[in-house]
Amino acid sequence: MIPDTLPGLNVVALEGWLRREHPKMLAGSPLSARRIVGGLSNLSYRIDGGMSPWVLRRPPLGHVLSTAHDMGREFRVMSALSGTAVPVPRTHVLRDDSSGSAGVGAQFYLMDFVEGKTLNGREDNAMYARDAISQLGPELARVLARLHEVDLAAVGLADFGRPAGFLTRQVGRWTRQLEKSRSRDLPTLDRLQLLVSSSVPASASSSLVHGDYRLDNTLVAQQAPQVLAVLDWEMSTLGDPLTDLGLLGVYWDLHEVPGATESPLASAIDPAVGYVSFDAIVDTYSSERGIPVPDLSWYVAFGAFKLAVVLEGIHYRYTLGQTVGDGFDTIGRLVPGVTEVGLRRLGKTRS
């Protein structure tokens, strides 16, 4: 039996709110919901029983860092990208439900459920031939390149952020996030923060950036390698596009971090079954945009710093008993390994 109440969602209250405010979205059948497993931060639920299947997105429970889980930001950017070359789900309704009258108790939105596969672990590779897997990296690169070429004025996002000073502000923002989540001594992470903040490069260009672009934040066609939808836009803004590429590099080689493949951070990426190298992804991105890509050492290091801060925030919520799902007890152990990725990269240039 599907429960009426899940952590973070009361389905009966949601249906009552929709019946009052958006009755045309309902089909006459009772709504049902189940949590979509995956992701380390915001919560997603599949909602059935309406005119079509939806996904409801809301922030995590409990300790929520300011601006880090902005549902309105996700809703706006996906709505703007509808009809562009960047694949996104169709959005429906955004609601600030701080009163709890819609059954959520936080800001949330509804979007279409897209039939596709999220590749969360190595077991998900079994459905694809090696040749298909080898095209997933280049496909991600092409989609990312198209994102960075979006005409901001044409889609109404010219005021979506402040590109000037973006990198300095980002380092400051994630430094503050670390302080708000600090529950233990992390000397190597503090060292990475100092190194990153003291060597901020000058940005050569600006664009719409996703902020957390990686394979498991996309939905892939059952036949692969087509990306059907890019998800999880809460960190999107206007800024240096190389930050997306640098963070993708961290995620792409995350299997090298001790313990990552046995944690909620596990990835499907495994060179042994055909995934291309990150350098090959950079080459495809460069070719798609028709521009040279400079050395990414600082951008990868910053990506590692940012991910380590995110993981530390999750670890902090876990210590407070505010996470939903299994495996969060291991997240804190990954922070030193992710930090080392950044420290190593600052002493290494791309060949």
Side-chain angles (χ1 to χ4, degrees):
M1 181 177 178
I2 299 175
D4 291 334
T5 302
L6 300 168
L9 174 62
N10 183 309
V11 186
V12 173
L14 174 67
E15 182 174 347
W17 175 75
L18 285 170
R19 195 169 303 283
R20 293 190 302 274
E21 302 293 334
H22 301 279
K24 292 182 179 180
M25 294 180 66
L26 297 176
S29 302
L31 294 186
S32 63
R34 61 178 176 83
R35 182 167 173 256
I36 299 173
V37 178
L40 301 174
S41 182
N42 294 326
L43 302 178
S44 299
Y45 310 81
R46 173 168 173 161
I47 310 294
D48 289 296
M51 294 301 293
S52 63
W54 308 311
V55 171
L56 183 149
R57 288 270 287 171
R58 60 149 294 156
L61 308 180
H63 172 71
V64 177
L65 296 173
S66 175
T67 77
H69 308 281
D70 191 340
M71 298 295 96
R73 199 164 197 85
E74 282 200 343
F75 186 85
R76 180 184 173 186
V77 72
M78 285 195 295
S79 299
L81 289 174
S82 178
T84 71
V86 181
V88 291
R90 179 188 174 198
T91 53
H92 291 286
V93 60
L94 173 69
R95 162 80 174 185
D96 182 358
D97 189 41
S98 54
S99 69
S101 61
V104 179
Q107 190 179 49
F108 72 93
Y109 67 88
L110 291 169
M111 64 181 175
D112 278 350
F113 178 84
V114 176
E115 290 287 353
K117 181 68 177 176
T118 302
L119 303 183
N120 288 314
R122 294 185 176 184
E123 65 278 2
D124 295 324
N125 295 322
M127 65 192 310
Y128 300 123
R130 186 181 185 91
D131 287 348
I133 288 175
S134 71
Q135 289 302 310
L136 285 170
E139 168 71 354
L140 280 180
R142 288 187 288 269
V143 171
L144 186 61
R146 293 197 292 269
L147 168 63
H148 293 160
E149 293 290 337
V150 166
D151 184 332
L152 300 173
V155 299
L157 292 177
D159 63 345
F160 194 58
R162 294 177 294 142
F166 171 74
L167 294 180
T168 298
R169 289 198 311 276
Q170 280 284 294
V171 173
R173 172 192 173 182
W174 290 100
T175 298
R176 292 189 295 274
Q177 301 286 46
L178 174 60
E179 291 307 313
K180 292 176 182 177
S181 298
R182 191 177 290 276
S183 62
R184 53 182 179 162
D185 291 332
L186 295 165
T188 56
L189 183 53
D190 291 335
R191 179 172 172 239
L192 178 60
Q193 186 277 327
L194 288 173
L195 290 170
V196 167
S197 64
S198 64
S199 57
V200 178
S203 295
S205 66
S206 64
S207 72
L208 178 62
V209 297
H210 181 277
D212 195 24
Y213 190 76
R214 51 194 164 105
L215 177 61
D216 46 335
N217 273 345
T218 68
L219 291 169
V220 179
Q222 297 287 342
Q223 295 76 28
Q226 182 185 6
V227 171
L228 300 176
V230 180
L231 309 174
D232 297 1
W233 292 88
E234 73 267 24
M235 294 183 187
S236 58
T237 188
L238 306 187
D240 191 327
L242 296 183
T243 54
D244 273 345
L245 205 52
L247 183 58
L248 178 59
V250 176
Y251 282 121
W252 200 256
D253 293 329
L254 204 57
H255 56 274
E256 298 177 0
V257 172
T261 57
E262 295 82 34
S263 76
L265 206 61
S267 167
I269 299 164
D270 179 4
V273 300
Y275 284 93
V276 301
S277 69
F278 179 61
D279 280 356
I281 291 175
V282 173
D283 289 342
T284 300
Y285 175 89
S286 175
S287 176
E288 187 76 10
R289 293 199 67 194
I291 61 171
V293 174
D295 173 66
L296 292 172
S297 294
W298 185 90
Y299 292 94
V300 174
F302 172 65
F305 172 63
K306 178 177 170 179
L307 177 57
V309 173
V310 169
L311 296 178
E312 189 60 20
I314 295 167
H315 169 73
Y316 183 47
R317 290 203 302 275
Y318 168 75
T319 65
L320 298 176
Q322 295 174 344
T323 51
V324 176
D326 298 326
F328 289 100
D329 56 323
T330 67
I331 290 295
R333 303 174 204 167
L334 300 177
V335 174
V338 172
T339 301
E340 286 298 326
V341 170
L343 292 174
R344 287 196 305 269
R345 191 60 190 246
L346 283 177
K348 177 183 177 183
T349 59
R350 180 171 176 259
S351 58

